[in-house]
Amino acid sequence: MLDVMYQINTHYDQFTPSSRKIADYVREHCAQAQYLSISGLASECGVAEATIFRFCKQLGFGGYNEFKLALAKSSILNQPNPYAAYGELTPEDNTVEAMCRRLYEANIQALNQTLSLLDEAALIKAGDLLAGAGKILGLGYGGSMSTVREAWSRFLTVTPKFFTIEDNHMQIMAASLLEKNDVILFVSYSGSTRDAEDVLRPAKARGAKIVLITHYADSPAASMADVVLLCGGHERPLQTGSIAAKMAMLFVVDMLVNEFCRRDMDTTMRNKDLTANALAIRHL
């Protein structure tokens, strides 16, 4: 992988004034920049997203995600304790108790961050949209899809109108046939993937509403959403899925399900009884 700081220093004199803004910001805020979406970095630098993309290409990277991975690697190598930069375990966590306590603290921190980011008005609006929806389509990709499955299993106990699709081609087809009173519940920690754009744009064009659970309020997916619910937890580019971040997203799902149920407790309790009784025969 290319050394991002070496590439920046080597090409600095060839940069345009806009690219130098990016280079200066990255050199000064390397640790923070690795967490930013492309739109977030563009906002911090005062440039267009296209300028960020050209900057990455000029450095020899295939795109912004490849640049972020190199940036994360550079940030870790420059830490006094490179293991700590990964977020959870360090060489000092050499006992089971120390390991478990470290992970516990990471999860608690993610939940506390999520609670601090809670926008009550946004949660209420999301509950209104879901309660009034004809259909609720739960969507996500990669690790976020596991959170969508959990949301589906929770909503399925109280309403028949929540469904999910895992195949991305079928997701796009379903989204293109949604109507104005339908809602997509989309889960994406970054909110910055091509898959998200491919499925949300046709739904938006049809007038369907979008409720997004994400960590980044300035992500491309957030710009298309009707409601954005933020989760805490820091997922580093070099992590292939953070349990703490998933815990944070599940906390948002839990709040959303309960906000949905709060609107009609009689129907909620009746449906919970029906689904519980239907499963009773399966228990030994």
Side-chain angles (χ1 to χ4, degrees):
M1 183 176 286
L2 294 172
D3 183 328
V4 65
M5 290 305 175
Y6 174 80
Q7 292 296 102
I8 288 175
N9 292 333
T10 299
H11 291 85
Y12 191 84
D13 291 338
Q14 304 165 23
F15 288 151
T16 63
S18 293
S19 291
R20 287 185 181 180
K21 288 183 181 179
I22 305 168
D24 291 341
Y25 180 86
V26 170
R27 290 200 294 192
E28 188 174 348
H29 305 93
C30 178
Q32 295 90 339
Q34 64 176 296
Y35 298 112
L36 295 175
S37 64
I38 188 170
S39 53
L41 182 59
S43 176
E44 290 291 336
C45 298
V47 300
E49 290 182 27
T51 305
I52 301 286
F53 183 75
R54 286 194 297 270
F55 175 79
C56 297
K57 298 291 283 187
Q58 188 173 356
L59 293 179
F61 297 103
Y64 184 65
N65 286 336
E66 186 177 326
F67 167 74
K68 277 183 65 175
L69 287 173
L71 197 60
K73 183 177 180 181
S74 176
S75 177
I76 286 173
L77 293 176
N78 288 316
Q79 292 290 328
N81 184 347
Y83 291 94
Y86 278 97
E88 284 88 19
L89 302 181
T90 72
E92 287 72 36
D93 298 320
N94 54 7
T95 67
V96 171
E97 180 182 0
M99 174 191 70
C100 293
R101 185 167 296 281
R102 172 79 65 175
L103 298 176
Y104 168 80
E105 290 170 354
N107 285 312
I108 293 299
Q109 184 181 42
L111 293 176
N112 285 335
Q113 289 170 350
T114 302
L115 189 60
S116 70
L117 292 169
L118 174 63
D119 182 336
E120 185 175 344
L123 184 62
I124 292 171
K125 183 178 179 181
D128 289 339
L129 290 176
L130 295 180
K135 296 190 295 290
I136 305 170
L137 175 57
L139 297 176
Y141 296 94
S144 295
M145 193 63 208
S146 63
T147 304
V148 174
R149 292 190 203 100
E150 289 295 331
W152 179 39
S153 70
R154 290 293 313 282
F155 275 104
L156 195 58
T157 65
V158 295
T159 179
K161 61 185 180 181
F162 192 105
F163 70 106
T164 187
I165 299 171
E166 297 202 22
D167 182 89
N168 60 346
H169 288 182
M170 292 184 178
Q171 287 182 348
I172 295 171
M173 291 192 301
S176 69
L177 295 178
L178 293 177
E179 299 180 349
K180 290 183 179 180
N181 67 330
D182 296 329
V183 176
I184 287 181
L185 174 59
F186 197 87
V187 179
S188 173
Y189 180 85
S190 71
S192 301
T193 66
R194 187 180 302 277
D195 294 312
E197 288 200 8
D198 288 345
V199 76
L200 294 181
R201 288 197 184 282
K204 194 74 176 175
R206 293 279 295 176
K209 301 299 186 290
I210 299 166
V211 175
L212 174 69
I213 298 176
T214 186
H215 184 68
Y216 296 101
D218 59 355
S219 64
S223 69
M224 291 185 278
D226 296 276
V227 182
V228 177
L229 302 175
L230 297 176
C231 69
H234 292 297
E235 184 171 271
R236 294 157 180 79
L238 289 174
Q239 288 177 301
T240 55
S242 161
I243 295 297
K246 285 184 173 62
M247 291 283 288
M249 290 189 285
L250 285 171
F251 184 27
V252 177
V253 167
D254 203 14
M255 290 189 285
L256 190 54
V257 171
N258 281 278
E259 178 62 18
F260 174 88
C261 293
R262 196 171 62 85
R263 281 157 173 69
D264 188 350
M265 291 302 297
D266 289 339
T267 299
T268 292
M269 296 310 298
R270 182 175 67 251
N271 288 345
K272 282 187 175 182
D273 286 342
L274 288 169
T275 53
N277 290 334
L279 286 176
I281 195 173
R282 310 291 298 180
H283 297 164
L284 295 175

